[in-house]
């Protein structure tokens, strides 16, 4: 019901509605996570880039990253991410291991 109500409210605006994992996002149609990440990445030299996400809305980021970057899909859905982890607990473990390397 919420999705239908929002769609009727934004139908004449330059907005889009994204339905994801336990979320509904209303955003400017010209804005995406991938475009934001590309702009951020273009702004500097980065030694290490890691993108992690559990939702289809994260695919924008995964698909724009180059082979030298690391992308991880949390869960077992089809994704353009380079790697997969089973759960948020596994992601926390990975981040802890990476932090220990620094």
């Amino acid at each position: 019901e919420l999705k239908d109500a929002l769609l009727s409210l934004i139908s004449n605006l330059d907005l889009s509605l994204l339905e994801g994992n336990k979320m509904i996002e209303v955003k400017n149609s010209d804005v995406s996570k991938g475009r934001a990440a590309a702009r951020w990445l273009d702004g500097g030299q980065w030694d290490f880039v890691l993108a992690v996400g559990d939702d289809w809305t994260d695919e924008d980021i995964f698909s724009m990253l180059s082979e030298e970057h690391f992308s991880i899909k949390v869960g077992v859905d089809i994704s353009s991410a380079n790697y997969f982890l089973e759960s948020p607990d596994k992601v926390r473990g990975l981040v802890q291991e990476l932090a220990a390397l620094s």
Side-chain angles (χ1 to χ4, degrees):
E1 288 180 40
L2 175 60
K3 180 180 165 185
D4 291 338
L6 289 171
L7 282 171
S8 68
L9 290 171
I10 67 170
S11 62
N12 294 330
L13 303 172
D14 190 22
L15 298 173
S16 60
L17 188 135
L18 302 173
E19 187 175 6
N21 184 18
K22 299 179 186 176
M23 58 75 88
I24 293 178
E25 179 180 329
V26 178
K27 67 177 193 73
N28 182 308
S29 297
D30 294 332
V31 175
S32 75
K33 291 179 181 182
R35 285 185 183 149
R39 187 172 177 174
W40 184 73
L41 287 171
D42 288 342
Q45 297 290 332
W46 308 104
D47 295 328
F48 180 77
V49 174
L50 172 65
V52 180
D54 68 347
D55 196 85
W56 69 268
T57 60
D58 300 309
E59 292 300 318
D60 286 341
I61 295 175
F62 298 155
S63 62
M64 61 77 47
L65 292 175
S66 70
E67 289 296 318
E68 65 191 34
H69 301 134
F70 297 89
S71 56
I72 300 173
K73 172 71 173 185
V74 182
V76 293
D77 295 331
I78 295 171
S79 175
S80 58
N82 301 73
Y83 302 95
F84 294 84
L85 285 174
E86 299 169 353
S87 67
D89 287 336
K90 298 285 186 182
V91 174
R92 280 189 281 279
L94 173 65
V95 171
Q96 288 171 344
E97 288 181 37
L98 291 172
L101 295 174
S102 60

